Amino acid sequence: MRTIHPIEARSMEILRSRVDLGALPPLTRAVTERVIHASADLEYATDLVADEACLRQGLRALRDGAPIVTDVAMVAAGITARPVICSIGDPAVASDGLTRSAAGIRRSYAKTGPGAVWVVGNAPTALEEIIEYGVAPALVIGLPVGFVGAAESKAALRDSGLPAVSNVSEKGGSAVAAAALNALLYFEEGAPPWSPSPTKEDS
């Protein structure tokens, strides 16, 4: 069981005093709460788009050892519980008219093949490449940020039929994308969410 620091637990208490997500299904709630916790942005309660069945599929894949792939190193840095593949910095990445983020997606797919969990928090072009390249993902966490192409790429993800987590607005980013993935990695069936670990005085 993951050790939860009392400050993290207190943060969740504050979050829950400001927005009630208790009616959401377990995985959707876990993802939404962790995204809000990472961003201090309560608007994600209505901006995030998640499907419980897709999250369940992603969780099963992760527990079966599916690779985790990110678009940029900043997203990878936020995921510490498992090894992560991020190819944007590979010397072998050649653009061929693509952005480095999009080219990195192709490079990562060559390493993983189908069935990976893809996490995009920065580049809309990376998300577009995931949709168009046919990577056959177990789950796509698509939360790129920006005024150019971010909202449109996330809408395209929702329209693609791929199992996905996204949000409607232009906001997003590396921290929230990593947070959404971490919510699945940390999820424990039936465990009270975000309970602090007992101290010596409590035990």
Side-chain angles (χ1 to χ4, degrees), residues 2-3 27 36 47 72 91 122 125 131 140 162:
R2 188 177 72 94
T3 300
L27 288 171
I36 292 173
D47 191 48
V72 294
N122 181 265
T125 56
I131 297 166
V140 180
L162 296 175

Side-chain angles (χ1 to χ4, degrees), residues 31 37 39 41 60 78 142 156:
V31 169
H37 174 263
S39 61
D41 188 343
R60 282 196 301 267

Side-chain angles (χ1 to χ4, degrees), residues 58-150:
L59 178 63
R60 282 196 301 267
L62 289 168
R63 290 181 173 175
D64 287 342
I68 300 168
V69 185
T70 69
D71 62 329
V72 294
M74 285 290 288
V75 178
I79 302 167
T80 58
R82 283 269 299 274
V84 176
I85 295 168
C86 179
S87 300
I88 192 171
D90 285 10
V93 169
S95 64
D96 292 330
L98 302 172
T99 66
R100 286 195 64 83
S101 297
I105 295 302
R106 295 190 179 189
R107 177 69 174 168
S108 292
Y109 181 68
K111 298 175 184 177
T112 67
V117 174
W118 297 78
V119 190
V120 177
N122 181 265
T125 56
L127 187 52
E128 292 164 1
E129 192 65 21
I130 288 170
I131 297 166
E132 295 170 6
Y133 201 60
V135 301
L139 181 69
V140 180
I141 296 174
L143 297 169
V145 61
F147 293 120
V148 180

